[in-house]
Amino acid sequence: MSPKIEMFVERFSSVKFLLRTSIVHSTSKKFSNLIVNETEFKTKKTILSSTPYFIKVESTPNCFLKCPKCCHGRGELKNEDNEKMILTLDNFKKIIDPFADNIFGVNLSHRGEPLLNPYLFQIIAYCHERNIGTIFPTSFSMKLSQKQLEQIVTCGLDHLIVSIDGITQDVYEKYRRGGDLNLVLKNASALINIKNKLTSKTPFIEFKFILFDHNSHQLKDAEKLSINMGFDKFTVVLDNSSPDLAKIQSQIKAKKSAKKKPCYWPWNSMVVYWDGTVSPCCGGHYNMGNAFETPIDSIWNNERYQELRSSFAEQKSDKWKICWQDCWPH
């Protein structure tokens, strides 16, 4: 049986992603906020009484790989001050505390390798204490001690995504440049063994395979490897430059255009960088404020956010053109 190809390109995929990760952290208050948030999204309110129910927080932008389609591989992000580009627990609290009662889960990555943040396990443990689900992806291509692997299981992490785009080094490193497949598999195997030994239900460990032309011949064997190793799930994601993905995205945009349906990000979620910069989405086109300088719940309804939300109805200002043009192509 061929593996199911999951393409995280539309809102329903994001909701599935949220539910799979954080349903165990539900409360009546969180569901009430979710209902209000969805209502405000559908009615295109500009000032919201609800708050985000899932956010992305960048643990660190640092990474030792040079994947060609990543900002590191393209040379857009330099690691000159990599020791400073780390989200601390205290700063994380400034981001999460104002929204904590309403958030189902947090994705602790954006541009880098989360495991390079020395405070990562403290951050996850804090989320666990606050009944907030956590998830992050990793290349897993780094030397990890037995203690670090045990912490991944015991810190309270809900979901770990391990990116493995090939089952031989020559194929794997065509995209994961600088990565060591044997080290990745060694870490994954050890982690699964620790999880089984501790009879822990978490983290949910996912094998993610980005499908390229150069690795498509290894797809079935990758799925077999995932099953044999004991991963909880095998997921295939289309390469961002795939014509098939572009076709699907075009169809989704056409449907949004016909219904004048706005992008959900400015209403449902946000991205916060390691330095506190708040962006409405992963695109990073706009700076909405800094969560370390201004309370993040104030930023959520500030003038910039109001302008962005209203732009989907007005389509008059070039300031936010990237957002609504990308959502509704002309």
Side-chain angles (χ1 to χ4, degrees), residues 11 36-45 262 267:
R11 185 162 177 269
V36 174
N37 186 269
E38 287 296 307
T39 302
E40 292 179 329
F41 168 61
K42 290 179 180 178
T43 56
K44 300 179 186 176
K45 285 193 65 175
W267 279 267

Side-chain angles (χ1 to χ4, degrees), residues 30 41 95 131 140 160 179 197 210 233 236 248 264 302 307:
K30 291 179 183 181
F41 168 61
I95 298 169
N131 193 29
F140 236 18
L160 181 71
K197 184 177 180 180
I210 299 180
K233 185 174 183 180
V236 184
I248 293 169
Y264 63 87
N302 67 11
E307 286 182 357

Side-chain angles (χ1 to χ4, degrees), residues 275-290:
D275 61 358
T277 301
V278 176
S279 175
C281 72
C282 296
H285 301 303
Y286 305 114
N287 181 343
M288 311 302 281
N290 191 290

